[in-house]
Coordinates of all heavy atoms in Angstrom, one line a residue:
G563 N 20.9 -32.5 87.5 CA 20.4 -33.0 86.2 C 19.4 -32.0 85.6 O 19.2 -30.9 86.1
S564 N 18.8 -32.5 84.5 CA 17.8 -31.8 83.8 C 16.8 -32.8 83.4 O 16.7 -33.1 82.2 CB 18.3 -30.9 82.7 OG 17.2 -30.1 82.2
A565 N 16.0 -33.4 84.4 CA 15.2 -34.5 84.1 C 13.8 -34.2 83.6 O 13.2 -35.2 83.1 CB 15.1 -35.3 85.4
Y566 N 13.5 -33.0 83.6 CA 12.1 -32.6 83.1 C 12.2 -32.1 81.7 O 12.5 -30.9 81.4 CB 11.5 -31.6 84.1 CG 11.2 -32.2 85.4 CD1 12.1 -32.2 86.4 CD2 9.9 -32.8 85.7 CE1 11.9 -32.8 87.6 CE2 9.7 -33.3 86.9 CZ 10.7 -33.4 87.9 OH 10.4 -33.9 89.1
L567 N 11.9 -33.0 80.7 CA 12.1 -32.6 79.3 C 11.2 -31.6 78.8 O 11.5 -30.9 77.8 CB 12.1 -33.8 78.5 CG 13.3 -34.8 78.7 CD1 13.4 -35.8 77.6 CD2 14.7 -34.0 78.7
P568 N 10.0 -31.4 79.4 CA 9.1 -30.3 78.9 C 9.9 -28.9 79.0 O 9.7 -28.1 78.1 CB 7.9 -30.3 79.8 CG 7.8 -31.8 80.1 CD 9.2 -32.2 80.3
H569 N 10.6 -28.7 80.0 CA 11.4 -27.5 80.2 C 12.5 -27.4 79.1 O 12.6 -26.4 78.4 CB 12.0 -27.5 81.6 CG 13.0 -26.4 81.8 ND1 12.7 -25.0 81.9 CD2 14.4 -26.4 81.9 CE1 13.7 -24.3 82.0 NE2 14.8 -25.1 82.0
V570 N 13.2 -28.5 78.9 CA 14.3 -28.5 77.9 C 13.6 -28.3 76.5 O 14.2 -27.5 75.7 CB 15.0 -29.9 77.9 CG1 16.1 -29.9 76.8 CG2 15.6 -30.1 79.3
A571 N 12.6 -29.0 76.2 CA 12.0 -28.9 74.9 C 11.5 -27.4 74.6 O 11.7 -26.9 73.5 CB 10.8 -29.8 74.8
R572 N 10.8 -26.8 75.6 CA 10.3 -25.5 75.4 C 11.5 -24.4 75.1 O 11.4 -23.6 74.3 CB 9.4 -25.0 76.6 CG 8.0 -25.5 76.5 CD 7.1 -24.8 77.4 NE 7.3 -25.3 78.8 CZ 6.6 -26.3 79.4 NH1 5.7 -26.9 78.7 NH2 6.8 -26.6 80.6
V573 N 12.5 -24.5 76.0 CA 13.6 -23.6 75.8 C 14.3 -23.8 74.5 O 14.6 -22.7 73.8 CB 14.7 -23.9 76.9 CG1 16.0 -23.1 76.7 CG2 14.1 -23.5 78.3
R574 N 14.4 -25.0 74.0 CA 15.0 -25.2 72.7 C 14.1 -24.8 71.5 O 14.6 -24.2 70.6 CB 15.4 -26.7 72.5 CG 16.6 -27.1 73.5 CD 16.9 -28.5 73.3 NE 17.7 -28.7 72.0 CZ 19.0 -28.6 71.8 NH1 19.7 -28.3 72.8 NH2 19.5 -28.8 70.6
K575 N 12.8 -25.0 71.7 CA 11.9 -24.6 70.7 C 11.8 -23.1 70.5 O 11.7 -22.5 69.4 CB 10.5 -25.1 71.1 CG 9.4 -24.8 70.0 CD 8.1 -25.4 70.4 CE 7.0 -25.0 69.3 NZ 5.7 -25.6 69.7
A576 N 12.0 -22.4 71.7 CA 11.9 -20.9 71.6 C 13.1 -20.3 70.8 O 13.0 -19.2 70.3 CB 12.0 -20.3 73.1
R577 N 14.2 -21.1 70.7 CA 15.3 -20.6 69.9 C 15.5 -21.4 68.6 O 16.5 -21.3 67.9 CB 16.6 -20.7 70.7 CG 17.1 -22.0 71.1 CD 18.5 -21.9 71.8 NE 19.2 -23.1 72.0 CZ 19.3 -23.7 73.2 NH1 18.7 -23.2 74.2 NH2 19.9 -24.9 73.3
G578 N 14.4 -22.1 68.2 CA 14.3 -22.8 66.9 C 15.1 -24.1 66.8 O 15.5 -24.5 65.7
A579 N 15.4 -24.7 68.0 CA 16.2 -26.0 68.0 C 15.3 -27.1 68.4 O 14.3 -27.0 69.2 CB 17.3 -25.8 68.9
E580 N 15.6 -28.3 68.0 CA 14.9 -29.5 68.3 C 15.6 -30.2 69.5 O 16.8 -30.0 69.8 CB 14.9 -30.5 67.1 CG 14.1 -30.0 66.0 CD 12.6 -29.8 66.2 OE1 12.1 -30.7 67.0 OE2 12.0 -28.9 65.7
V581 N 14.9 -31.1 70.2 CA 15.5 -31.9 71.3 C 16.2 -33.1 70.6 O 15.5 -33.9 70.0 CB 14.4 -32.3 72.3 CG1 15.1 -33.2 73.4 CG2 13.7 -31.1 72.9
P582 N 17.5 -33.3 70.8 CA 18.1 -34.4 70.3 C 17.6 -35.7 70.9 O 17.1 -35.7 72.0 CB 19.6 -34.2 70.7 CG 19.7 -32.8 71.0 CD 18.4 -32.3 71.5
E583 N 17.5 -36.8 70.1 CA 17.0 -38.0 70.6 C 17.7 -38.6 71.8 O 17.1 -39.3 72.6 CB 17.0 -39.1 69.4 CG 16.0 -38.9 68.3 CD 14.6 -39.0 68.9 OE1 14.3 -39.9 69.7 OE2 13.7 -38.1 68.5
S584 N 19.0 -38.3 71.9 CA 19.8 -38.8 73.0 C 19.3 -38.3 74.4 O 19.5 -38.9 75.4 CB 21.3 -38.4 72.8 OG 21.4 -37.0 72.8
F585 N 18.6 -37.1 74.3 CA 18.1 -36.5 75.6 C 17.1 -37.4 76.2 O 16.8 -37.3 77.4 CB 17.5 -35.1 75.3 CG 18.5 -34.0 75.1 CD1 19.8 -34.3 74.7 CD2 18.2 -32.7 75.4 CE1 20.8 -33.3 74.5 CE2 19.1 -31.7 75.2 CZ 20.4 -31.9 74.8
Y586 N 16.4 -38.3 75.4 CA 15.4 -39.1 76.0 C 16.0 -40.4 76.6 O 15.2 -41.1 77.3 CB 14.4 -39.5 74.9 CG 13.6 -38.3 74.4 CD1 14.0 -37.5 73.3 CD2 12.4 -37.9 75.1 CE1 13.3 -36.4 72.9 CE2 11.7 -36.8 74.6 CZ 12.1 -36.1 73.6 OH 11.4 -34.9 73.1
T587 N 17.2 -40.7 76.4 CA 17.8 -41.9 76.9 C 19.1 -41.7 77.7 O 19.5 -42.6 78.5 CB 18.2 -42.8 75.7 OG1 19.2 -42.1 74.8 CG2 17.0 -43.2 74.9
D588 N 19.6 -40.5 77.7 CA 20.8 -40.2 78.4 C 20.6 -38.8 79.2 O 20.5 -37.8 78.5 CB 22.0 -40.1 77.4 CG 23.4 -40.1 78.1 OD1 23.5 -40.8 79.2 OD2 24.3 -39.4 77.7

Side-chain angles (χ1 to χ4, degrees):
S564 189
Y566 292 87
L567 291 192
H569 171 72
V570 177
R572 277 194 286 267
V573 170
R574 294 181 71 87
K575 184 178 179 180
R577 64 172 190 259
E580 297 294 325
V581 177
E583 284 300 318
S584 63
F585 282 26
Y586 293 93
T587 58
D588 194 36

